[in-house]
Amino acid sequence: MAIILKSQKELQKMRRAGRLVAECHALVRGVLKPGITTLELDSLVAEHIKRQGGTSPFLGYAPPGMTPYPASICTSVNEVVVHGIPGPRVLQEGDIVSVDIGVTLDGYVGDSAWSYPVGRVAPHASALLEVAEQCLWAALKEARANQRLGDLGAAIQGHAKRHGYGVLREFGSHGVGRRMHEDPHIPNYGTAGTGLRLRPGMTMAIEPMVTEGDYRVAELDDGWTIVTIDGKLSAHFEHTIAITPDGAPEILTQRVE
Ligand code: MF3
Ligand code: CO
């Protein structure tokens, strides 16, 4: 495992990449309503990234043995947990959609996902959104120098479990920097007080994926789309952060309006 600590100069670049990701989310929130297609969201984000001189690290992303990812963002609706491919699907009132956005700018990556309600959603759907977002904040509270990786996973899993929700096993959080996925891999479940110690200069994308029911998932034939096996809802929240010398992490993909 090779964890790459970032210098101040590198952090400055990651701030800019993260800021562009946050701008893209603001654009998405501005147009997200019943009737829009997920492909329209993809085009909107792709154009903004391009205009600002960036690229999407998702587009063409191809881990060994996988078909290249065909879009700039992921749009994961309802029972789709992650890696939903934008297309002609029209978002309906009552849907929930995770919009996952990555940007490479000046050689550094920002990565952030947020799950949004489309119009008015059922109480059980908004409850899931609320708790899944809280899972992210619970993990970020643990993301301080000298804490351990297991503290993050335990915080996510503990909070989800208290509300009767599941946490994915197959996918987790990750280091991020020059590449979208750097060491370490960070499970979204685990045991507090175990695992690697966090150090200032570590940059990570923390992304709990929370299911309303069973945490088991399946991959669709397109080779990307991950769905819950029981067909129940799922939500996903992600920020790119930097571990600071003392206290709270710096959120590099901090929300902007
Ligand atoms: N936030 C996701 C991740 O970290 C984005 C990857 S989507 C992909 O895995 F399509 F590029 F795989
Ligand atoms: Co990520």
Side-chain angles (χ1 to χ4, degrees):
M1 184 152 61
I3 294 172
I4 305 165
L5 300 179
K6 309 310 187 285
S7 66
Q8 282 306 322
K9 204 173 140 191
E10 290 180 295
L11 286 173
Q12 199 51 43
K13 295 187 180 194
M14 290 194 67
R15 282 184 194 108
R16 284 200 289 271
R19 161 105 195 168
L20 182 46
V21 173
E23 285 174 13
C24 292
H25 273 289
L27 286 177
V28 166
R29 286 193 300 273
V31 299
L32 187 65
K33 55 176 188 300
I36 197 162
T37 68
T38 53
L39 192 60
E40 286 171 317
L41 298 179
D42 185 74
S43 307
L44 178 74
V45 170
E47 279 161 25
H48 186 65
I49 293 173
K50 192 174 171 193
R51 237 185 348 255
Q52 299 299 318
T55 55
S56 166
F58 297 5
L59 184 64
Y61 181 66
M66 291 187 67
T67 56
Y69 187 74
S72 295
I73 67 173
C74 304
T75 48
S76 304
V77 184
N78 297 340
E79 78 286 357
V80 180
V81 186
V82 286
H83 302 169
I85 301 171
R89 180 175 185 158
V90 177
L91 293 175
Q92 310 285 337
E93 177 109 29
D95 284 342
I96 61 172
V97 57
S98 150
V99 180
D100 193 344
I101 302 176
V103 161
T104 307
L105 187 67
D106 199 10
Y108 287 83
V109 174
D111 185 11
S112 172
W114 215 258
S115 292
Y116 299 111
V118 182
R120 282 180 64 87
V121 303
H124 71 100
S126 45
L128 174 69
L129 291 175
E130 190 178 328
V131 172
E133 183 183 343
Q134 287 166 356
C135 284
L136 172 61
W137 296 117
L140 296 191
K141 234 174 122 179
E142 301 297 326
R144 301 189 305 271
N146 295 317
Q147 293 289 97
R148 292 169 161 235
L149 279 190
D151 297 330
L152 275 63
I156 291 169
Q157 187 180 26
H159 191 71
K161 208 173 161 196
R162 271 193 292 283
H163 293 268
Y165 297 139
V167 173
L168 254 68
R169 299 298 191 270
E170 291 88 342
F171 297 88
S173 304
H174 53 93
V176 57
R178 278 193 170 276
R179 314 185 71 89
M180 174 164 65
H181 293 142
E182 290 186 350
D183 287 337
H185 172 73
I186 307 162
N188 288 326
Y189 58 92
T191 307
T194 65
L196 194 94
R197 250 178 229 292
L198 302 183
R199 301 285 179 215
M202 283 177 67
T203 47
M204 307 182 294
I206 306 300
E207 49 178 320
M209 301 145 202
V210 178
T211 58
E212 199 180 11
D214 197 308
Y215 60 75
R216 285 174 299 176
V217 294
E219 186 184 285
L220 298 188
D221 287 341
D222 62 19
W224 281 102
T225 309
I226 303 296
V227 297
T228 58
I229 285 183
D230 63 12
K232 293 192 176 179
L233 297 179
S234 160
H236 173 215
F237 291 85
E238 175 181 36
H239 267 315
T240 296
I241 63 162
I243 302 298
T244 61
D246 43 39
E250 180 177 353
I251 298 174
L252 301 172
T253 46
Q254 182 68 53
R255 180 183 176 122
V256 296
E257 295 307 329

